[in-house]
Amino acid sequence: MKLVIAAAILSSVIALDDGLARTPPMGWMSWERFLCNVDCKTYPDSCISEDLYKRTADLMASEGYLEAGYDHVNIDDCWSTFERDPVTNEQVADPDRFPSGIKSLARYVHNRGLKLGLYSDIGTKTCGGYLGMQDNLELDANTFASWDIDMLKVDGCFQDTDMMGQTYPELSRALNATGRPIVYSCSWPAYLDPDYGEANGGEVLKELAEICHLWRNWDDIRDDWGSVSSVIDFWKRNSTDDPFIQVAGPGHWNDPDQLMIGDNGLSHSEERSQFALWAIFAAPLIMSNDLAHISKESKEILLNKEIIAVDQDPAGHQGTLVWSSEGSGDGDYYGGETRVWSRLLNDGSYAVVLQNTHSMGTATKVKLKSSMLEGWGRRRVKFTARDLYAHEDLGEFEGEMVAEVWPSDVEMFIVELV
Ligand SMILES: *[C@@H]1O[C@H](CO)[C@@H](O)[C@H](O)[C@H]1NC(C)=O
Ligand SMILES: *[C@@H]1O[C@H](CO)[C@@H](O)[C@H](O)[C@H]1NC(C)=O
């Protein structure tokens, strides 16, 4: 049964109308795992070099990641030299670590059916101290386009935040003028006061949607559950009218940062939680791991096609928190809560995540009530549920269903009215 749910129809966000990033971008990025390691003598397998991106591209194509939708290989900081070309003033890739150059790397990646992302900074230098784009936005946009890149992440170190309202849009126009479709990822909001979303009626957020395909909202993610949880807590936004939730949609996405799945810091439960919730958030799914050394369990999470389909749902509604035990006294003593998250999908069904944030104890029963889902009404309605981790249909329920959820873990379902 299909429903038209008034509250879920987005207000008029004006957005880039260039056909790019109609669903949240997917892929891999070097930053969290490989940082700015430029010492290829000591670390030949993990330094920032063309070999790292080639090897990753090969694995993405051969190990099923590309087939599952992960189609970007993204270079992050520390790929360039410290000085521009003295004759052309163009940016240059480090000749020792990228001897074939970025254009040749793009060809290598394209030949495997993948796309290449590059990184730069709107300021005078990148966060790692490499070449920034300030005062050269048009030149650099043209150089990067001539190298055939497909995505550009633009960081915000070494620039006064007051200038960014001018420079980020200017770069958006410069990228468009190159004629090459390039997905534009803006770090602008991550440099603003955390209240920027609500300030001036959400003006910055609306502007972001007009000029960027995705933007980072919050702190850099790290390979530990405290960091990942703090990002999840930022998204405990419980209204579809919230300016942050409203502004997400096809062509323009909130970016809660990279997936830590397949790294060292998260338990299996925590990895399941991050993946399920990133799908609820309609988040870009950008891994940052070593695909040559990844456990079978982590790989299975990353390749869960049913959860990827939720993330990539064409309607592009970002989901929200719909219920939490916070303040109910229920389990508060143990420093955690149980939560219900939901995301409306294109066909009128909902993706639902039941989360247990306690870090001690045993599995807790968490209840989904049909009345928690916007548009399903206050009365008890009949619905079906499918478990997206077990890949199992669970049958029919009336009014509510209950699942046992382990500490630091989630269960994820698709529920549909019958
Ligand atoms: C440039 O912007 C126009 C207007 O939004 C759009 O139609 C076109 O596809 C864009 N071109 C590129 C290369 O992004
Ligand atoms: C939703 O947000 C409101 C306002 O901040 C708060 O009072 C309410 O408790 C929240 N509900 C949930 C389910 O977290």
Side-chain angles (χ1 to χ4, degrees):
M1 178 175 166
K2 295 192 183 180
L3 286 185
V4 176
I5 296 168
I9 294 170
L10 291 180
S11 68
S12 55
V13 174
I14 305 166
L16 283 175
D17 185 21
D18 55 13
L20 294 175
R22 300 305 294 170
T23 60
M26 292 176 65
W28 179 96
M29 182 163 99
S30 49
W31 181 251
E32 189 285 325
R33 183 63 181 255
F34 298 97
L35 297 172
C36 190
N37 184 351
V38 293
D39 180 359
C40 293
K41 262 211 185 85
T42 316
Y43 302 98
D45 292 335
S46 52
C47 67
I48 300 303
S49 70
E50 62 183 45
D51 289 347
L52 173 64
Y53 300 100
K54 285 181 176 172
R55 205 170 64 236
T56 301
D58 290 345
L59 288 165
M60 285 173 75
S62 65
E63 293 292 312
Y65 297 97
L66 172 59
E67 197 199 335
Y70 297 90
D71 60 354
H72 285 84
V73 180
N74 291 358
I75 301 171
D76 208 271
D77 203 352
C78 311
W79 60 269
S80 78
T81 52
F82 291 102
E83 303 287 343
R84 290 173 174 269
D85 182 292
V87 178
T88 63
N89 199 37
E90 287 177 355
Q91 292 208 26
V92 185
D94 183 282
D96 295 327
R97 292 179 288 115
F98 293 85
S100 327
I102 305 295
K103 193 181 173 85
S104 156
L105 181 55
R107 195 176 316 122
Y108 186 95
V109 163
H110 292 157
N111 282 342
R112 279 146 192 80
L114 291 148
K115 295 172 178 163
L116 185 70
L118 193 62
Y119 165 101
S120 196
D121 191 288
I122 202 80
T124 52
K125 287 188 277 191
T126 69
C127 300
Y130 290 79
L131 290 171
M133 302 179 85
Q134 188 167 310
D135 303 325
N136 291 291
L137 298 182
E138 209 182 305
L139 171 68
D140 289 347
N142 286 327
T143 305
F144 296 162
S146 77
W147 291 345
D148 299 331
I149 65 156
D150 306 289
M151 183 162 171
L152 182 66
K153 171 180 161 188
V154 182
D155 221 332
C157 284
F158 298 103
Q159 183 167 90
D160 196 326
T161 51
D162 290 346
M163 287 172 68
M164 292 180 180
Q166 206 187 321
T167 51
Y168 273 101
E170 195 182 323
L171 179 54
S172 180
R173 290 189 293 273
L175 287 170
N176 179 278
T178 67
R180 182 171 177 84
I182 295 174
V183 173
Y184 181 30
S185 164
C186 300
S187 299
W188 178 16
Y191 288 85
L192 301 174
D193 288 338
D195 68 354
Y196 74 88
E198 285 83 9
N200 306 324
E203 271 316 308
V204 174
L205 283 167
K206 282 183 200 148
E207 167 114 43
L208 282 164
E210 288 170 28
I211 63 158
C212 310
H213 298 100
L214 62 158
W215 50 85
R216 284 280 315 287
N217 304 88
W218 194 236
D219 295 346
D220 283 3
I221 207 160
R222 289 165 174 264
D223 188 14
D224 74 66
W225 182 236
S227 164
V228 176
S229 296
S230 76
V231 177
I232 293 168
D233 288 350
F234 178 82
W235 288 110
K236 272 175 67 183
R237 297 174 177 278
N238 64 17
S239 152
T240 49
D241 294 334
D242 181 283
F244 281 91
I245 303 293
Q246 278 276 311
V247 79
H252 40 101
W253 309 101
N254 290 300
D255 179 7
D257 212 0
Q258 301 139 94
L259 296 169
M260 298 294 96
I261 299 160
D263 288 303
N264 301 313
L266 302 190
S267 69
H268 183 60
S269 293
E270 292 159 354
E271 291 194 342
R272 280 164 42 99
S273 298
Q274 191 190 17
F275 204 59
L277 286 166
W278 261 232
I280 292 288
F281 301 157
L285 299 179
I286 310 287
M287 308 179 274
S288 188
N289 50 16
D290 185 347
L291 293 178
H293 302 281
I294 183 167
S295 72
K296 200 173 126 277
E297 291 76 17
S298 297
K299 184 174 175 186
E300 195 177 313
I301 292 172
L302 289 165
L303 297 183
N304 185 314
K305 290 191 175 148
E306 296 193 72
I307 297 179
I308 292 173
V310 170
D311 182 76
Q312 299 286 301
D313 183 73
H317 303 306
Q318 181 169 340
T320 64
L321 183 74
V322 292
W323 182 85
S324 145
S325 67
E326 191 179 13
S328 67
D330 174 19
D332 282 1
Y333 172 77
Y334 302 106
E337 62 195 71
T338 50
R339 298 170 177 166
V340 179
W341 302 79
S342 80
R343 175 175 174 188
L344 176 64
L345 302 178
N346 193 42
D347 65 0
S349 64
Y350 273 98
V352 172
V353 167
L354 308 184
Q355 185 190 12
N356 180 357
T357 73
H358 290 98
S359 52
M360 59 199 293
T362 185
T364 298
K365 289 189 171 156
V366 185
K367 191 183 285 178
L368 167 71
K369 293 185 182 170
S370 60
S371 59
M372 291 172 183
L373 300 175
E374 203 167 346
W376 279 20
R378 300 185 66 83
R379 69 201 167 84
R380 296 164 62 85
V381 294
K382 277 194 186 156
F383 62 91
T384 58
R386 178 170 174 80
D387 183 325
L388 301 193
Y389 273 121
H391 305 293
E392 233 179 291
D393 287 324
L394 303 180
E396 236 176 82
F397 299 85
E398 190 170 345
E400 63 186 50
M401 66 176 282
V402 175
E404 292 198 343
V405 188
W406 284 86
S408 303
D409 209 340
V410 292
E411 296 298 336
M412 185 169 193
F413 308 95
I414 298 272
V415 295
E416 195 167 6
L417 286 171
V418 291

